[in-house]
Amino acid sequence: MLKTVTTDIAALRLVEERLRWLSAWTIHHANHVRDSADGLKVGGHQASCASMTAIMAALYFHALGENDRVAVKPHAGPVLHAVHYLLGSQDRATLENFRGFGGAQSYPSRTKDKIPVDFSTGSVGLGVAITLFASLVQDYLTAHGWMDERDRGRFVALIGDAELDEGNIYEAIIEGAKHDVRNLWWIIDYNRQSLDATSADRMFERFDEIFQSCGWRVVELRYGKKLKAALAKTPKLQAWFEQLSNAELSALHYQGGAAWRTRIEAGVGKPAAAFLKDHDDATLAALFTDLGGHCMESLVEAFDAAQDDVPTLFIAWTIKGYGLPFAGHKDNHAGLMNPTQMAAWRDAMGVTEGREWEPLESVGDNARPGVEALIERSRILRDKRSRAFGSVTVPALPAPTGDEQSTQAAFGRILLDLSKAGGDLADRIVTTSPDVTVSTNLGAWVNQRGLFRRSDMADVFAREKIASTQKWSATNNGQHVELGIAESNLFLMLAAAGLSGDLFGQRLFPIGTLYDPFIARGLDSLNYACYQDARFLLVATPSGITLGPEGGAHQSINPPLIALGQPGLRHYEPAYADELAAMMEEAFRLIDDPNGESTYLRLSTRSIAQVDRGDEAWRDGAIHGAYWLRPPAPGAEAAIVAMGAVMPEALAAWEELSADIPGLGLLNVTSPDLLHRGWTAAQAARWNGERKPSHVEQLLSELSPSAGLVTLADAAPASLSWLGGVLGQRVAPLGIERFGQTGNLPDLYAAYRLDGDAITEAVAELLLPA
Ligand SMILES: Cc1ncc(C[n+]2csc(CCOP(=O)(O)OP(=O)(O)O)c2C)c(N)n1
Ligand SMILES: [Mg+2]
């Protein structure tokens, strides 16, 4: 970690001014200078940026060490770009194209921005919490010897105060307390304004207690040095100041010096007379903007004083739109300076017209060497951060043997076998689950590999010799991170562990398990993980009404549709154990492939008869999304198309019907997601003159163009019904459209029309002459 360095505060202040100017100018340029092709407002958040420029100057040009990582408040994206522009790692053309196609992104993006972005942000709250899980991953890596203690960094989140309304933050700090997380700085830009309005006064007083009870140190930076000294001389004025509501304070910051004077006269009266006499309106306004988050000395002091690894929350008081004409105005969130305001502000900032992009414009000759030295020091630290990492060999994963198996049980077996066989992959797997480790069949793996804790935790039941199949002691060598029931945390943990290569130079293979319906509980966090290209394997089990007696609330319906619409996540739904082994192998390979993605396996607890394989031809099809389990006769008029755990119903119906319908095919769909992607990709390729049909087009073209397809899934029927659109074949979709309920499988399959009768009727109807 960086030792405290002495920094030239005056130079830092100049850097702050440069950041404030450049971020505002970048937004202004995109809205008022650049040509518009469509007349749409480009937007940007000048006020949100100005609120944070001092904090970011103090961080990037003083406090951050080379191993530290930062999640920047989404609306301060332009400030991050300005930081890199000063450091020389962002170019002018990209800034001129801010919010344009291929230009600097509106919100910091790991995958799309050219500058190094540690964590993407945008959906408020998630960028905050991922830093906590990244710190946990860092502890995991050092404990396992994958990373040197000396390379440990700090994880910083720059937080808008309104982000603290997001529940995922509290779920994260509760989980963090259990794992004794450290090396975290969360810095709140406490400008007391959100998007719509000024924020509630009462709640903020509670945040200290909430964080402290989770083991955090809370440091409040309310006053800058000058304001603090002035108020200390006039205690009545301080008392009056401190009882102002957020709305009153913001309004005064907007109104300026004369308004401060009138309000102080009315509110404090005589005791403030000397103070008011000493300050004209302009100095009054300047003095009251000297809040902690704008005072460079206070920021530097506070950061220097927090050099241990205790997680620390800084509450830095700021003014939204600091130094801009709409500072403090409650409607300033998306406010933009107009050209007249901008020109006036440009002059006030000492920027010459035509030299707006000059990085150090307005920095005088005498001050330049100091500013340049700060920039150089920070540049060297930032440049040291690239982390190269090698690839990991994924061995063949043998399929578990057994005539009857469920995919969920097979998943546990495959992992157990892998654990016993050992090797690099097995050692780099880290599993995690929100309190459903046992019920998703990770138990055997955990018995083998143990729970991870920084400090050892004995298994009391084992010590007391109480019989249990789960022998779970926790050590810093364990490979399973146990989480409480908060699915959002699961996805943030997967996101952080799935970025381990990029963040720490060490690839991990994260596997997260949960019940399929509860994917919805953490959906935005899942999307967030995929958005920044984290790599992991998500195993959702059990799924569908095939869960049977456990009933409706646990029976998932729409996750295959979620997966169909989720970039960066590949859905597989195996029917058989050997398919699952092949898919897991592929999923691990995709985690490590620079052009890969994450995988979602939708599994079932239903034990079904496995099929005899004559050869290995199925394997390639299964990995690409479908294969003919019973090939059709060329030009056949009908096929059953089924996915996952209902394959026995499809097979039985096929047996029964194929006597009457010779050539009837049975297509086993293992990934509607991949089939759909392949289909649209082939269409797009055709516009470029490539004529190769996609996998699904090849499969379906073995049937007659007028063939009928009966699709069957223990999921929303739309998961498969779209297949009719590929070649224009007719479809009878079977699947689940109502909430599930308790029952045995025959009763449920009959009630929800997933049984042989339903298939037979659907086939018959399709074959009837129109
Ligand atoms: C999950 C989510 N909901 C809503 C939004 C829209 N939104 C963007 S910023 C914002 C309020 C930001 O206020 P604050 O966090 O205090 O940041 P400030 O701009 O004041 O610094 C909202 C509601 C969002 N980005 N993400
Ligand atoms: Mg705010």
Side-chain angles (χ1 to χ4, degrees), residues 65-79:
E66 68 190 88
N67 296 317
D68 298 347
R69 306 274 155 172
V70 191
V72 177
K73 176 185 86 167
H75 300 78
V79 185

Side-chain angles (χ1 to χ4, degrees), residues 29-70:
H29 181 277
N31 283 278
H32 291 290
V33 181
R34 192 170 75 208
D35 285 342
S36 167
D38 54 14
L40 285 183
K41 175 183 171 181
V42 178
H45 302 85
Q46 290 172 329
S48 304
C49 288
S51 192
M52 282 228 107
T53 44
I55 295 170
M56 289 178 72
L59 256 191
Y60 280 88
F61 296 88
H62 170 73
L64 285 185
E66 68 190 88
N67 296 317
D68 298 347
R69 306 274 155 172
V70 191

Side-chain angles (χ1 to χ4, degrees), residues 157-194:
L158 299 176
I159 310 171
D161 51 336
E163 290 193 68
L164 287 178
D165 285 331
E166 291 288 4
N168 83 274
I169 290 181
Y170 305 97
E171 293 184 352
I173 61 173
I174 290 168
E175 194 60 55
K178 294 185 212 163
H179 290 274
D180 197 14
V181 287
R182 51 194 174 149
N183 297 309
L184 286 164
W185 278 4
W186 284 5
I187 306 170
I188 299 172
D189 173 1
Y190 186 36
N191 60 26
R192 292 151 284 109
Q193 286 184 239
S194 58

